[in-house]
Amino acid sequence: MSPAQPSAPPGPTGPTGPRAQLPVTVVGIGADGWAGLPGGSRAALREADVLIGGPRQLALLPGECAGERVPWPSPLRPAVPGLLAAHAGRRVAVLASGDPMFHGIGRTLSEVLSVTLGTDAQRAGALRVLPHPSSVSYACARLGWPVEDTEVVTLVGRPAERLSAALYDGRRVLVLSAGAATPAEVAALLRDRGFGPSRMHVLEQLGGGERERRFEGIAQEWAEPAGDPLNVVAVECRRAPDAPRLGAVPGLPDTAYEHDGQLTKRHVRAATLAALAPAPGELLWDIGGGSGSIAVEWMRTHRSCRAVSVERDPARAERIGRNARALGVPGLRVVTGGAPGALAGLPVPDAVFIGGGLTVPGLLESCWDALPAGGRLVANTVTLESEALLAEWYRRLGGELVRLSVAHAVPVGGFTGWRQAMPVTQWVVTKDRPSRVATTGVPPAGISSAGLPAAGVPSAGVPAAGLPAAGLPAAGVPSAGVPSAGVPSAGVPSAGEER
């Protein structure tokens, strides 16, 4: 007979122990309160030991909901794990406005519980959601707008400038308000962005029966006083005739940006964003931000795209922030400092764009090392010194090396001719496997980093070391009449001033 096994030590009493076996129930509730809840939602609230919600939501419950009432603390999200742990083992019901999974507390609870459990909270049975019609559903029903054709922008806890990215002539937009002052803020933004002729509808206490109220007007004439804080603003977008037209794809007019000349111009910018290939949820490092145009248009491609713009000049860094707010992406993070030092501690990027400072020691190496497998790197330059550097990296890592030339028609006397802009050399490469390069300079000849061909052993179709591609001087060997590294020719920006 085998010896008796010692009993397992008692589990913790926090969210991962025995006290956390009961699921958290999230109940959506509308302005109509208890009367508008279906039977299942009422039963969950009656049976709860703990009722968590905002003061307004808790006040909607009748006395028959006898559970302990706990108002949400502020700030809310950091308090969620501790609050759930404090009530683990009790039947917890959380009140949410409308649909809890639509810009609501349901998402936060799902994320927190999933992290705590190490698995999907709903699949594990730790979270149960009982939705109620959202304010968006009510608003579209009142206005006769198809929900699937209506853009929704939330300003709850977010800056009003987010609305700018959704403004297109003829589009319908629903704005989830942060409070009573939101309609006036929306009207002011519409006027500032050239959409003053837009019609606004403010819908208050949606689903609240006799308490519902609706009023409307033109944004440029808006003078309504602040009303109920529980409101939604519906906007029928109309652009003023003299307002600039901004498209939905990269390549906004240069005039859309405030800049001091350090701007990736429109046509090159469109080609650069195409090479970067942003996808929803991805993060960009924009090195040498200049005016921030690459980062701004990366974020405009999808609301979940994120970007960090690194700019050493404080005045330009402030300008990047202003451009981001004006063009509807106030969430753009601006880091003031020089790369590569300023890159320390940044989240891992999905793509990196280098628009300036290519010849700074260690910059390319740091950016390449930071990329995960599948990450993209795009570098632009107009100087021969940086072009030679990109040619060497292209020889070692492959990718695509292209030269972009743009010419504009201009008057020539009584005729018209072409004015050529400075050509831009662009290197585009995808990291196909985890690898690192030497920490200073380009990897030395004959020493290959993981995944890199050794110097002197070119890939098919790539010139060997010392044998430059047609039209390109060998790295570090300037052609006659070409300035040596660090000595820019007249009118050509020095390293770090390429955009």
Side-chain angles (χ1 to χ4, degrees):
M1 185 172 179
S2 60
Q5 298 297 318
S7 60
T13 57
T16 58
R19 291 177 57 196
Q21 298 304 308
L22 296 178
V24 174
T25 301
V26 189
V27 178
I29 190 168
D32 49 358
W34 184 256
L37 292 178
S41 296
R42 290 187 180 189
L45 294 171
R46 287 194 194 99
E47 296 166 2
D49 299 315
V50 181
L51 299 162
I52 303 176
R56 179 185 62 81
Q57 297 159 338
L58 291 171
L60 295 173
L61 301 183
E64 63 190 274
C65 298
E68 177 186 355
R69 302 193 180 197
V70 179
W72 282 118
S74 181
L76 187 153
R77 185 177 180 110
V80 170
L83 199 57
L84 295 180
H87 298 289
R90 304 175 74 188
R91 289 171 296 189
V92 175
V94 176
L95 290 167
S97 296
D99 185 347
M101 301 307 294
F102 185 73
H103 296 290
I105 189 62
R107 173 178 176 173
T108 300
L109 291 170
S110 179
E111 292 172 351
V112 169
L113 287 169
S114 295
V115 170
T116 301
L117 298 171
T119 185
D120 182 87
Q122 281 164 302
R123 191 178 298 122
L127 184 67
R128 184 167 65 126
V129 179
L130 304 176
H132 189 274
S134 69
S135 58
V136 170
S137 297
Y138 276 121
C140 287
R142 302 293 187 266
L143 295 165
W145 292 2
V147 176
E148 68 273 16
D149 292 335
T150 302
E151 183 81 11
V152 179
V153 177
T154 179
L155 299 186
V156 179
R158 297 167 174 85
E161 290 90 350
R162 295 182 77 246
L163 177 58
S164 299
L167 300 179
Y168 295 99
D169 200 28
R171 292 291 291 169
R172 292 167 169 171
V173 181
L174 282 182
V175 180
L176 307 185
S177 290
T182 300
E185 292 176 3
V186 169
L189 185 139
L190 290 171
R191 291 193 296 269
D192 291 345
R193 299 296 186 265
F195 281 80
S198 301
R199 178 165 292 276
M200 293 171 50
H201 309 258
V202 177
L203 301 99
E204 298 178 344
Q205 290 285 338
L206 283 166
E210 294 181 356
R211 296 193 306 278
E212 273 198 27
R213 178 171 175 249
R214 172 180 169 181
F215 51 97
E216 62 185 75
I218 303 301
Q220 62 191 10
E221 302 165 356
W222 193 262
E224 294 284 346
D228 194 289
L230 195 63
N231 71 81
V232 172
V233 182
V235 181
E236 298 178 73
C237 297
R238 293 289 181 271
R239 181 169 55 90
D242 57 346
R245 183 184 184 279
L246 303 182
V249 299
L252 298 180
D254 294 345
T255 53
Y257 293 93
E258 177 189 347
H259 64 91
D260 60 359
Q262 297 301 308
L263 173 73
T264 302
K265 300 302 189 291
R266 180 180 191 175
H267 300 90
V268 173
R269 191 185 328 127
T272 300
L273 266 296
L276 286 166
E282 288 192 326
L283 172 68
L284 171 74
W285 284 5
D286 178 18
I287 311 299
S291 64
S293 62
I294 296 295
V296 165
E297 295 191 28
W298 167 281
M299 291 183 67
R300 281 174 61 93
T301 62
H302 193 271
R303 69 178 68 185
S304 65
C305 283
R306 299 161 295 137
V308 179
S309 186
V310 179
E311 172 55 55
R312 67 183 182 184
D313 183 89
R316 289 177 182 162
E318 291 182 6
R319 190 177 294 119
I320 291 171
R322 292 195 294 272
N323 281 329
R325 292 188 292 273
L327 292 168
V329 288
L332 170 60
R333 178 181 174 186
V334 182
V335 174
T336 304
L343 306 180
L346 295 183
V348 175
D350 298 288
V352 175
F353 173 65
I354 305 175
L358 273 169
T359 56
V360 172
L363 176 59
L364 264 170
E365 291 83 357
S366 296
C367 292
W368 182 255
D369 290 345
L371 281 172
R376 290 95 62 202
L377 188 148
V378 177
N380 289 359
T381 185
V382 297
T383 69
L384 294 173
E385 293 77 22
S386 292
E387 183 181 83
L389 182 63
L390 292 184
E392 174 65 11
W393 278 71
Y394 168 68
R395 184 188 68 77
R396 293 178 178 278
L397 291 172
E400 186 178 13
L401 191 65
V402 299
R403 178 169 289 172
L404 307 173
S405 297
V406 178
H408 295 271
V410 296
V412 180
F415 299 91
T416 304
W418 293 108
R419 174 170 294 164
Q420 185 76 40
M422 293 182 69
V424 175
T425 299
Q426 182 180 86
W427 179 47
V428 182
V429 65
T430 298
K431 192 172 185 177
D432 60 357
R433 64 176 73 95
S435 63
R436 296 180 68 84
V437 295
T439 56
T440 56
V442 178
I447 299 177
S448 171
S449 298
L452 304 183
V457 185
S459 305
V462 180
L467 298 178
L472 293 180
V477 184
S479 305
V482 178
S484 59
V487 185
S489 57
V492 179
S494 59
E497 297 292 327
E498 293 164 3
R499 53 186 283 191

